[in-house]
């Protein structure tokens, strides 16, 4: 690890699974933190066996969100496993977990148990709905939170059903909040010497992302309508189709852009038409304006419109699929948004880079996602476990290494 990275020198015991927690700890690992992934002893973290795309037996889901981590297999249901975890927790800076509320306390590794051996610990818990309350005990994942938060209800065509967002936004919102909050808590600890517990939920993060729709909803008493790709308070602001059938997105969110669009399409009359003379008027007459614009855009291929709109300084972009974006978009490639790491069994693995450019202390991609239990002995030795004790724990089925067979064990309840 480079000592110059923002989080170099901090050590994290990472109990998180699936996406929200692992992506958040991966971000911290990219910035120098030593992330120790504590995995269920039999099958490891849940996402190791999920999805439909695998490389040499490794799930692409797991590979995408667990780089810059080391793996230890530990049976937390055994008292010796709990004791080993708490022994490691004595000298780490952060513990992260996203089990169902109450699970870590039942295992004896909750905040109070860790705080008893490490008073200045930063202990971060991620959950779907919060640690307490009427929903806290319920199972949930990203789309369940999308449904409950109101985000799904405002997504989809006006005459269609609610639609799940194409990417797991609640998970990634929680991941960003996890990395942000842990970093802020560590800064607070540097200043005061005090650790603390942090709690965040996918629900709270997703609702927070509804800004500024929240203000409109609370002030009007009406939920935002489904408008497909359109916007409730800006017009024109939606997908349009060129004469070749290809879609592009157009965003006129200021009068400057609206005026530039009218000049670009050679329709100065639209700018002075009282129905379209202001954004408020355009919102009230969006159907009439869309009819005009749809006819105009049907006259040329999308590529020509995009070239013209770019020259006219009007915000617009082609509607690309993810493969086009990741493989062929010149800005994505220029920004280095896809990186490659060598995995010992899966081979070269491409994945997304940290989306923040630290010019003085850039992210470092040191290692691909770990194999299950790859670093068990190495990690235990670093925490002072001698070889005899490690072998005893292995014989008792408390820990396991890379190739160890282990007795079946029920995974921790999520």
């Amino acid at each position: 690890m480079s000592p110059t990275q923002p989080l170099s020198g901090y050590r994290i015991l990472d109990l998180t699974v699936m996406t929200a927690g692992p992506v958040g700890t991966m971000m911290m690992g990219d910035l120098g933190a030593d992330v120790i992934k504590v995995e269920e002893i039999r099958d490891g973290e849940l996402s190791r066996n999920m999805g439909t795309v695998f490389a040499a037996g490794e799930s692409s889901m797991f590979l995408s969100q667990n780089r810059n981590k080391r793996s230890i297999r530990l049976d937390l249901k055994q008292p010796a496993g709990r004791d080993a975890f708490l022994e490691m927790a004595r000298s780490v800076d952060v513990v992260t977990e996203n089990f169902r509320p109450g699970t870590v306390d039942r295992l004896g590794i909750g905040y109070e148990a860790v705080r008893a051996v490490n008073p200045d610990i930063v202990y971060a818990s991620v959950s779907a709905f919060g640690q307490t309350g009427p929903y806290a005990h319920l199972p949930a994942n990203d789309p369940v939170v999308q449904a409950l938060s109101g985000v799904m209800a405002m997504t989809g065509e006006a005459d269609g059903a609610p639609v799940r967002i194409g990417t797991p936004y609640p998970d990634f919102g929680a991941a960003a909040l996890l990395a942000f909050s842990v970093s802020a808590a560590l800064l607070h600890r540097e200043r005061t010497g005090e650790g603390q517990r942090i709690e965040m939920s996918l629900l709270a993060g997703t609702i927070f992302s509804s800004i500024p729709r929240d203000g409109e909803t609370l002030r009007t008493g009406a939920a935002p309508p489904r408008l497909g790709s359109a916007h409730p308070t800006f017009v024109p602001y939606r997908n349009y189709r060129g004469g070749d059938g290809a879609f592009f997105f157009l965003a006129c969110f200021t009068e400057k852009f609206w005026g530039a669009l009218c000049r670009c399409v050679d329709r100065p009359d639209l700018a002075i038409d009282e129905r379209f003379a202001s954004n408020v008027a355009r919102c009230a007459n969006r159907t009439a304006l869309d009819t005009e614009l749809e006819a105009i855009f049907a006259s040329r291929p999308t590529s020509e419109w995009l070239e013209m709109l770019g020259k006219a300084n009007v915000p617009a972009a082609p509607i690309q699929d993810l493969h086009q974006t990741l493989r062929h978009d010149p800005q994505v490639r220029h920004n280095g948004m896809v990186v490659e790491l060598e995995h010992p069994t899966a081979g070269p693995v491409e994945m997304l880079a940290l989306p923040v450019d630290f010019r003085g202390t850039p992210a470092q991609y040191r290692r691909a996602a770990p194999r299950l239990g790859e670093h068990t002995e190495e990690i235990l030795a670093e925490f002072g476990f001698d070889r005899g004790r490690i072998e005893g724990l292995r014989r008792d089925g408390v820990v396991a290494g890379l190739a160890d067979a282990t007795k079946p064990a029920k995974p921790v309840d999520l």
Side-chain angles (χ1 to χ4, degrees):
M1 294 190 300
S2 168
T4 63
Q5 287 192 275
L7 296 179
S8 294
Y10 291 106
R11 180 171 281 178
I12 300 171
L13 284 180
D14 180 19
L15 293 161
T16 64
V17 300
M18 295 294 284
T19 297
V23 171
T25 54
M26 180 177 74
M27 294 168 68
M28 291 185 278
D30 290 349
L31 295 178
D34 178 16
V35 181
I36 297 171
K37 190 171 184 68
V38 182
E39 302 196 56
E40 192 273 323
I41 192 167
R42 182 183 61 179
D43 297 319
E45 205 253 270
L46 284 173
S47 67
R48 283 189 179 275
N49 301 304
M50 288 187 167
T52 58
V53 179
F54 291 80
E58 300 286 345
S59 165
S60 64
M61 179 177 176
F62 183 85
L63 293 173
S64 293
Q65 53 199 35
N66 284 287
R67 67 168 172 255
N68 285 340
K69 301 178 185 180
R70 297 186 291 164
S71 170
I72 177 174
R73 299 165 69 182
L74 181 62
D75 188 350
L76 294 169
K77 290 189 172 183
Q78 294 197 50
R82 176 201 61 214
D83 293 345
F85 179 88
L86 292 176
E87 190 166 336
M88 290 189 290
R90 289 178 186 275
S91 58
V92 302
D93 302 283
V94 180
V95 171
T96 59
E97 63 91 12
N98 65 344
F99 297 131
R100 196 178 298 187
T103 299
V104 287
D105 290 325
R106 289 196 299 273
L107 291 171
I109 56 171
Y111 173 63
E112 293 300 335
V114 173
R115 183 169 174 260
V117 299
N118 186 348
D120 60 354
I121 191 72
V122 171
Y123 196 109
S125 296
V126 182
S127 62
F129 305 124
Q131 295 297 310
T132 59
Y135 302 156
H137 67 289
L138 297 175
N141 63 352
D142 181 281
V144 170
V145 172
Q146 288 189 35
L148 189 65
S149 67
V151 169
M152 193 179 291
M154 68 177 83
T155 306
E157 295 298 329
D159 57 352
V163 174
R164 179 181 66 86
I165 301 171
T167 60
Y169 179 77
D171 275 336
F172 280 84
L177 291 173
L178 175 61
F180 160 77
S181 62
V182 167
S183 299
L186 289 172
L187 177 60
H188 173 77
R189 194 180 72 180
E190 293 294 328
R191 292 173 170 173
T192 67
E194 298 174 350
Q196 62 183 297
R197 183 171 190 183
I198 307 167
E199 298 176 4
M200 65 216 73
S201 72
L202 274 67
L203 179 62
T206 305
I207 291 176
F208 191 74
S209 78
S210 69
I211 296 172
R213 301 285 83 77
D214 68 312
E216 299 159 10
T217 299
L218 294 173
R219 286 162 182 77
T220 65
R226 282 193 295 281
L227 294 171
S229 63
H231 196 283
T233 58
F234 296 117
V235 174
Y237 194 103
R238 48 158 279 200
N239 291 339
Y240 292 95
R241 193 195 302 261
D244 57 351
F247 285 99
F248 65 97
F249 192 88
L250 173 70
C252 289
F253 49 91
T254 69
E255 295 305 318
K256 172 186 174 181
F257 293 138
W258 166 240
L261 174 64
C262 293
R263 293 188 294 273
C264 177
V265 301
D266 197 23
R267 287 292 302 274
D269 58 300
L270 294 178
I272 60 175
D273 189 318
E274 64 179 12
R275 297 174 299 168
F276 314 135
S278 70
N279 183 63
V280 172
R282 293 193 296 276
C283 285
N285 296 283
R286 71 169 69 228
T287 301
L289 179 55
D290 280 339
T291 299
E292 295 275 2
L293 292 177
E294 287 167 0
I296 292 170
F297 292 137
S299 66
R300 291 175 182 267
T302 287
S303 59
E304 292 186 19
W305 282 121
L306 288 172
E307 183 177 359
M308 294 169 63
L309 291 166
K311 291 179 179 178
N313 195 36
V314 177
I319 307 299
Q320 300 183 145
D321 64 36
L322 187 58
H323 184 266
Q324 290 173 310
T325 298
L326 297 182
R327 283 290 186 203
H328 306 297
D329 188 272
Q331 188 66 48
V332 171
R333 306 308 291 189
H334 172 80
N335 288 351
M337 297 171 69
V338 178
V339 297
E340 182 179 290
L341 287 172
E342 186 71 23
H343 189 277
T345 56
V349 177
E350 290 183 302
M351 61 193 73
L352 298 183
L354 185 75
V356 181
D357 186 1
F358 286 75
R359 294 300 181 92
T361 55
Q364 295 182 9
Y365 309 107
R366 303 179 299 277
R367 63 175 93 227
R371 291 173 291 174
L372 177 59
E374 180 178 355
H375 307 98
T376 296
E377 290 189 18
E378 172 186 306
I379 291 167
L380 290 172
E382 288 177 5
F383 283 97
F385 291 66
D386 61 33
R387 179 167 296 278
R389 186 178 176 193
I390 294 172
E391 288 303 319
L393 291 172
R394 176 183 279 112
R395 285 194 303 271
D396 293 340
V398 177
V399 304
L402 183 62
D404 286 330
T406 56
K407 61 184 180 181
K410 182 182 177 183
V412 174
D413 184 29
L414 296 176

